[in-house]
Amino acid sequence: MKSVSSVDIKERKKVEEELRLLSQYAQDAIIQMNSDGLITYWNKSAERLFGYTEKEVLSKNLHSLLAPQRYHKAHKIGFSKFKKSGQGAAINKTLELEGIKKDSAEFPIELSLSAVQIKGEWNAIGIIRDISKRKKIEQKLRDSEEKLRTLFDNINDAIYILDLKGNFINVNATACKRLGYEKREFLQMHIHDINAPELIAENPQLIDEKLWIVKDIVETVHVAKNGKKIPVEIYGKQSLYQNEPAIIAVSRDITRRKITEKQLKESEKKYKILSKELELILDNIPALIFYKDTKNNFIRVNQYIADAHNMKKKELIGRSLFEIYPKDQAQAYWDDDLEVITSGKSKLNIEEPWETKDGLRWLLTSKIPLIDVNGDVARIIVTSIDITERKKGESLKRIFTEKLEKEVQYRTKELNDALEKQKLYLDQIEKSSRFKTEFLATMSHELRTPLNAIIGFTDLLLEGIFGKLNEEQLEYIKDIDESSNHLLDMITNILDISRIESSQVTINIEKIQLNNLIDNVISTLRPLYNEKGLIIDLKGLKKEQLIFADRIKFKQIIYNLLSNAIKFTEKGKVTFEFRDSKDMWEFIVKDTGIGIAEKDFNIIFKEFKRVKSAYVDSIPGSGLGLALTKRIVNLHEGDILFTSKLGKGTAFTFTIPKNLSSKVNLEKIVKSFLSKL
Ligand code: ADP
């Protein structure tokens, strides 16, 4: 061991003195260790920092004041090498370590060690600084940087950082995602690589060529890697980036906004068209259509109402009802409006008067409230139809209907009265007809008896049974005979007609040999036609021709027709023709006689009617023959008609149905069957 010289002592004392002095002013902890690492000096700041007094730490190893996790670093302070050379890994370095306070609390420190040789022995001087505050600030910085980065990458807007020439320096994740480039690709690109070329050409002011600054917020179009065009809104500003001047541009994707704007424009366009169409429709509807605000002013009107008031549509707008209509009428309209405004409910089909330039008219009006978002009535829509004509029509119709009803009532009464009268007449007619028939039947019967007696006695007289008559007596008796026979014929005919009319006569169908019957009639008439020199011609008559009819009555028909033909024919011939048709037999009696004038056609079948002419008058007759003939034909369910030409001749045709016999037989069977029930 070396002896300590006075100089050394002096020297040491001097150093110690300097150190102590220094340590008084030092903010940092200053400690001294010997070559074994034991603490030999501990200043006030060290005491304050670690909580140990100098006394407590002297001869302690520095390691015990350092946190074990940092120990390996502290270990580097290893003093074995240091002892000899004053060299150590930690010497002349600043280490960041964790110190341990007396109360065991750990805190960050910065330790700087330097070697000092004192009396040939290496000592270490350590300066320890509490770096808690710095560490905290650093952490905060790191945190905020982290936040910024997160924000940078997660913000919905794309952020481009460009140098002043327009080259990309940095971009955020949104930019990459939106345009489809990777960050490293961006860093090789220029802002013009993403700007739509046509837009740059159209708007050269879009980007300042010199500075590449977007002067204001502008809308432009960016082109993605895949060529997709994306409308954006971009704003750029010159700033510092990593201490270099740069342009920071923020771009927002406005695709959705553009779509919305487009939709809005389209809907505006549609609305305009719709509004035009609506106006056109409203103007062409023949009704008053308008809407008003709740203060009684017109907001919109159609052409009809404008025309009605001789005004232009725009002249009406903003006006109140009271400026257009007489006060009373305007008030009445307004009262209805107020009802709609306060109740919020429509008023439909109000009939109201309407004062126009052409006079008073009538309207059928409906008022409908338009409710706003707050549920209040904002407008009233009014539609009115002019019902003046309809009203007029209605009152006319009413008057007409009333008149008609009265007329109908009156006429019905008249008709009823007439019907009543007619019924009475019919009753009377029926009564008198019955009376007439009965009367005629009785009278005919009553007359025939004495007449038959007259004829009988006359015949006896003529035959000279009561003595020979002189010329004159014979003459008179012949007259009596002729007249009596005529009277008897007439009475017989009247009786027959009456019987047929009162349905007292039935026909008795028999099989008739037509040839025989015709021959029989003709031979009866022979004296008559021989006298005149007339020819009787028979046509269509087959031998043994059979027909079915009531023998007596059928004979009467033939007799009447043939006798008439002979009576009214002076020369020529009388033809009887028979025709066998499908369902009936036809009989025609034709003559070449005087004929019948057309004007007399309607009297031929009427009772007691004869054609008025000197010739007819000269021929005896009663005008009953054809009336009876027709009835007999009808009894056989046949028809009779004639054709005639005055001076040329006449042809009577009558028919008898073939099935008459079966019909009559059937009737008979049914009748007898019924009578037996
Ligand atoms: P009547 O022969 O007794 O006068 P009828 O009833 O037989 O009565 O005939 C009515 C009238 O019809 C006759 O008076 C005559 O004027 C007209 N008449 C009938 N048959 C003929 C005929 N064949 N030719 C012309 N006139 C006829």
Side-chain angles (χ1 to χ4, degrees):
M1 206 168 173
K2 270 187 181 175
S3 61
V4 180
S5 68
S6 62
V7 179
D8 285 344
I9 292 164
K10 255 191 187 170
E11 188 73 15
R12 201 168 121 192
K13 280 207 171 155
K14 197 182 159 198
V15 170
E16 278 176 7
E17 204 52 41
E18 279 173 1
L19 275 171
R20 274 186 214 285
L21 202 69
L22 196 73
S23 70
Q24 273 183 6
Y25 297 99
Q27 286 289 313
D28 298 332
I30 299 172
I31 60 170
Q32 187 184 337
M33 288 158 289
N34 63 18
S35 55
D36 291 326
L38 300 176
I39 296 168
T40 56
Y41 177 75
W42 188 251
N43 77 343
K44 284 281 174 203
S45 290
E47 201 177 308
R48 206 171 52 242
L49 216 59
F50 285 91
Y52 295 106
T53 59
E54 193 176 18
K55 227 178 175 177
E56 285 169 318
V57 292
L58 281 183
S59 302
K60 273 195 179 187
N61 197 313
L62 178 62
H63 294 169
S64 63
L65 299 179
L66 298 174
Q69 66 265 33
R70 301 282 184 180
Y71 186 75
H72 67 284
K73 280 186 185 170
H75 195 68
K76 287 177 187 167
I77 308 167
F79 282 87
S80 50
K81 193 182 168 194
F82 175 73
K83 213 170 182 175
K84 290 176 205 155
S85 61
Q87 298 289 312
I91 295 299
N92 293 330
K93 284 200 176 146
T94 303
L95 302 169
E96 282 190 8
L97 299 165
E98 301 286 325
I100 302 173
K101 292 197 181 197
K102 191 182 174 182
D103 60 6
S104 305
E106 291 187 9
F107 67 106
I109 57 165
E110 195 180 73
L111 172 64
S112 308
L113 283 175
S114 50
V116 185
Q117 206 174 31
I118 302 170
K119 291 179 190 166
E121 226 179 277
W122 286 101
N123 280 250
I125 303 290
I127 296 170
I128 301 170
R129 181 173 291 174
D130 182 349
I131 56 168
S132 303
K133 272 188 188 164
R134 203 180 81 196
K135 281 282 167 191
K136 265 184 198 158
I137 290 165
E138 276 176 6
Q139 187 57 44
K140 266 192 183 165
L141 246 160
R142 266 198 305 280
D143 288 351
S144 76
E145 248 176 37
E146 184 63 33
K147 268 187 197 160
L148 268 173
R149 208 178 355 268
T150 317
L151 197 69
F152 183 70
D153 280 333
N154 288 300
I155 195 164
N156 258 336
D157 295 332
I159 300 172
Y160 307 111
I161 298 165
L162 310 162
D163 66 15
L164 295 186
K165 287 179 180 167
N167 298 308
F168 287 99
I169 306 171
N170 198 3
V171 293
N172 69 348
T174 308
C176 295
K177 203 172 142 199
R178 185 187 297 164
L179 297 179
Y181 292 108
E182 286 187 25
K183 194 168 177 173
R184 59 180 168 75
E185 289 178 291
F186 261 119
L187 300 183
Q188 305 297 317
M189 287 159 59
H190 185 271
I191 184 73
H192 272 352
D193 294 333
I194 63 163
N195 275 328
E198 69 272 13
L199 275 156
I200 301 169
E202 272 174 30
N203 301 301
Q205 79 280 18
L206 199 69
I207 289 173
D208 189 316
E209 287 284 345
K210 284 172 204 154
L211 288 171
W212 299 108
I213 294 173
V214 180
K215 283 177 185 161
D216 220 336
I217 296 179
V218 286
E219 282 183 12
T220 183
V221 176
H222 281 169
V223 187
K225 193 177 178 182
N226 62 9
K228 186 184 169 196
K229 292 189 172 176
I230 302 157
V232 294
E233 190 179 78
I234 192 161
Y235 177 70
K237 198 176 188 322
Q238 190 173 339
S239 181
L240 278 181
Y241 181 73
Q242 289 170 346
N243 290 328
E244 293 289 328
I247 294 158
I248 299 179
V250 181
S251 119
R252 179 161 292 179
D253 184 342
I254 53 167
T255 311
R256 194 163 289 174
R257 199 178 82 193
K258 282 277 153 192
I259 292 170
T260 316
E261 276 175 11
K262 202 177 155 199
Q263 284 171 344
L264 199 73
K265 263 188 198 154
E266 273 170 12
S267 83
E268 264 175 15
K269 210 169 132 189
K270 268 188 200 157
Y271 171 76
K272 268 185 195 155
I273 295 170
L274 207 74
S275 176
K276 269 249 150 60
E277 281 176 356
L278 184 71
E279 184 149 11
L280 205 72
I281 292 167
L282 290 182
D283 282 346
N284 284 291
I285 293 176
L288 291 86
I289 301 173
F290 55 91
Y291 50 88
K292 302 193 301 179
D293 61 15
T294 50
K295 292 191 178 101
N296 206 6
N297 299 318
F298 288 107
I299 302 259
R300 190 171 187 164
V301 297
N302 74 340
Q303 196 58 46
Y304 192 88
I305 180 168
D307 289 348
H309 292 289
N310 235 351
M311 288 169 95
K312 286 192 173 124
K313 283 204 290 181
K314 60 181 176 197
E315 286 175 339
L316 272 170
I317 289 163
R319 288 195 190 222
S320 129
L321 284 178
F322 287 93
E323 293 174 61
I324 293 158
Y325 296 110
K327 195 170 174 264
D328 286 354
Q329 200 178 47
Q331 189 61 48
Y333 293 152
W334 180 231
D335 286 346
D336 281 337
D337 294 342
L338 280 175
E339 221 181 295
V340 175
I341 293 167
T342 43
S343 71
K345 283 186 187 140
S346 303
K347 251 181 109 76
L348 303 174
N349 300 326
I350 320 158
E351 273 193 22
E352 52 187 15
W354 180 39
E355 203 71 62
T356 68
K357 60 182 175 8
D358 307 319
L360 182 72
R361 302 188 72 78
W362 283 89
L363 294 177
L364 186 70
T365 298
S366 290
K367 298 187 170 186
I368 300 157
L370 257 185
I371 314 286
D372 66 13
V373 281
N374 303 319
D376 297 327
V377 175
R379 305 256 187 278
I380 308 173
I381 301 178
V382 184
T383 55
S384 297
I385 309 165
D386 187 340
I387 51 161
T388 316
E389 298 309 318
R390 198 178 83 191
K391 262 186 111 64
K392 267 189 207 160
E394 269 170 15
S395 67
L396 269 176
K397 206 166 109 184
R398 212 171 29 246
I399 294 167
F400 181 71
T401 313
E402 277 167 14
K403 265 195 168 176
L404 200 72
E405 267 172 17
K406 270 187 191 154
E407 187 75 4
V408 168
Q409 271 174 7
Y410 178 70
R411 293 286 171 201
T412 312
K413 197 176 169 293
E414 262 190 357
L415 193 70
N416 281 338
D417 290 351
L419 281 173
E420 201 60 36
K421 268 186 194 162
Q422 199 185 22
K423 214 174 136 200
L424 279 174
Y425 287 147
L426 280 174
D427 282 352
Q428 274 176 3
I429 287 166
E430 204 186 328
K431 264 186 206 160
S432 27
S433 163
R434 223 176 16 248
F435 174 77
K436 182 194 90 182
T437 312
E438 279 168 17
F439 171 78
L440 284 174
T442 321
M443 282 305 289
S444 303
H445 180 76
E446 293 301 319
L447 284 171
R448 261 149 62 107
T449 316
L451 208 54
N452 274 328
I454 292 168
I455 291 167
F457 286 121
T458 313
D459 284 348
L460 290 175
L461 280 173
L462 282 175
E463 282 166 22
I465 293 199
F466 302 109
K468 210 169 162 26
L469 302 173
N470 63 29
E471 271 299 301
E472 208 174 0
Q473 283 169 331
L474 195 69
E475 186 101 347
Y476 287 133
I477 295 296
K478 267 187 183 169
D479 268 0
I480 291 168
D481 188 49
E482 241 173 56
S483 298
S484 303
N485 273 312
H486 176 67
L487 200 60
L488 184 64
D489 277 354
M490 206 159 88
I491 289 167
T492 309
N493 282 342
I494 288 172
L495 190 63
D496 286 349
I497 291 173
S498 308
R499 278 195 186 142
I500 293 170
E501 277 203 338
S502 58
S503 310
Q504 285 177 24
V505 177
T506 49
I507 49 168
N508 187 24
I509 301 299
E510 295 161 77
K511 197 197 283 178
I512 299 170
Q513 271 273 350
L514 189 61
N515 276 9
N516 291 347
L517 188 138
I518 299 293
D519 283 350
N520 198 288
V521 176
I522 287 175
S523 63
T524 317
L525 292 169
R526 189 164 292 125
L528 274 177
Y529 67 78
N530 274 346
E531 196 184 329
K532 290 188 166 179
L534 296 175
I535 301 161
I536 300 291
D537 195 8
L538 298 178
K539 272 187 176 173
L541 255 181
K542 283 189 214 137
K543 253 191 167 179
E544 314 299 325
Q545 175 67 51
L546 290 177
I547 61 155
F548 292 88
D550 183 306
R551 182 186 297 278
I552 297 167
K553 294 188 175 71
F554 182 77
K555 196 174 173 182
Q556 208 172 349
I557 299 169
I558 298 293
Y559 182 88
N560 281 350
L561 292 178
L562 282 175
S563 66
N564 272 352
I566 295 164
K567 269 201 295 186
F568 298 108
T569 305
E570 282 310 304
K571 56 177 189 225
K573 63 178 179 181
V574 171
T575 313
F576 173 84
E577 191 179 340
F578 172 77
R579 281 186 199 160
D580 192 349
S581 304
K582 199 178 164 219
D583 299 323
M584 59 185 75
W585 295 295
E586 277 182 37
F587 309 89
I588 303 154
V589 177
K590 203 165 141 190
D591 63 55
T592 53
I594 59 165
I596 303 163
E598 218 173 300
K599 66 174 175 55
D600 295 321
F601 279 7
N602 59 336
I603 62 160
I604 298 303
F605 292 112
K606 286 192 176 153
E607 296 91 342
F608 302 108
K609 296 279 183 200
R610 307 185 78 210
V611 170
K612 281 194 169 49
S613 75
Y615 184 83
V616 175
D617 284 347
S618 70
I619 294 158
S622 60
L624 285 170
L626 285 178
L628 181 62
T629 303
K630 186 172 161 61
R631 280 174 172 79
I632 298 170
V633 173
N634 291 346
L635 263 180
H636 283 83
E637 294 182 16
D639 279 326
I640 182 163
L641 45 90
F642 67 91
T643 55
S644 184
K645 230 175 181 171
L646 194 65
K648 295 271 177 208
T650 308
F652 280 86
T653 304
F654 74 95
T655 57
I656 300 240
K658 287 180 179 175
N659 66 356
L660 185 68
S661 57
S662 58
K663 231 177 170 176
V664 173
N665 284 341
L666 193 70
E667 261 174 38
K668 269 186 185 166
I669 293 164
V670 172
K671 269 185 187 163
S672 75
F673 173 76
L674 287 173
S675 67
K676 280 175 196 156
L677 284 175

